[in-house]
Amino acid sequence: MHVVNSATLRRGAVGVFVASAALIAVAPGIASADKPDGTCTSSYTPMQESDLLSLPDADLALVAFAHVNRNNDDWVCYKAYPQGDHNGYSGNFVDNTAAPHS
């Protein structure tokens, strides 16, 4: 039977605490990094605000553009719904930061 004394437990606890603190010190830099601008996936089309005027739901698309363009680079990715209009919308928008990055 192996007996562990309190000094051994304290050393182990200090080691875990130090390792955890080191990990926490590194993690915020990773978590808070801004996503770089990306490109649209092959199923989405890159669009700027002026391109939306050609869509059948241009008024709704302009509102969506303002909300989706999170990185303010004036580009979003658009994919038309394959079955046509869906609840008044012609397609889906995502910001280009959600796409694979080049």
Side-chain angles (χ1 to χ4, degrees):
M1 179 172 172
H2 181 65
V3 178
V4 178
N5 63 29
S6 62
T8 303
L9 287 175
R10 280 193 297 271
R11 281 194 302 269
V14 169
V16 170
F17 177 76
V18 171
S20 298
L23 180 60
I24 291 169
V26 172
I30 296 168
S32 66
D34 292 331
K35 292 182 181 177
D37 294 342
T39 58
C40 297
T41 60
S42 61
S43 62
Y44 279 76
T45 303
M47 297 186 103
Q48 290 190 296
E49 195 170 12
S50 60
D51 300 326
L52 305 181
L53 300 176
S54 65
L55 297 176
D57 57 348
D59 292 338
L60 291 172
L62 290 169
V63 172
F65 183 91
H67 289 289
V68 171
N69 184 29
R70 298 273 185 207
N71 62 351
N72 295 316
D73 69 348
D74 296 327
W75 285 97
V76 297
C77 303
Y78 172 78
K79 180 179 183 177
Y81 292 130
Q83 303 298 322
D85 186 280
H86 181 71
N87 294 329
Y89 299 97
S90 66
N92 187 47
F93 290 96
V94 295
D95 194 17
N96 59 341
T97 59
H101 303 294
S102 52

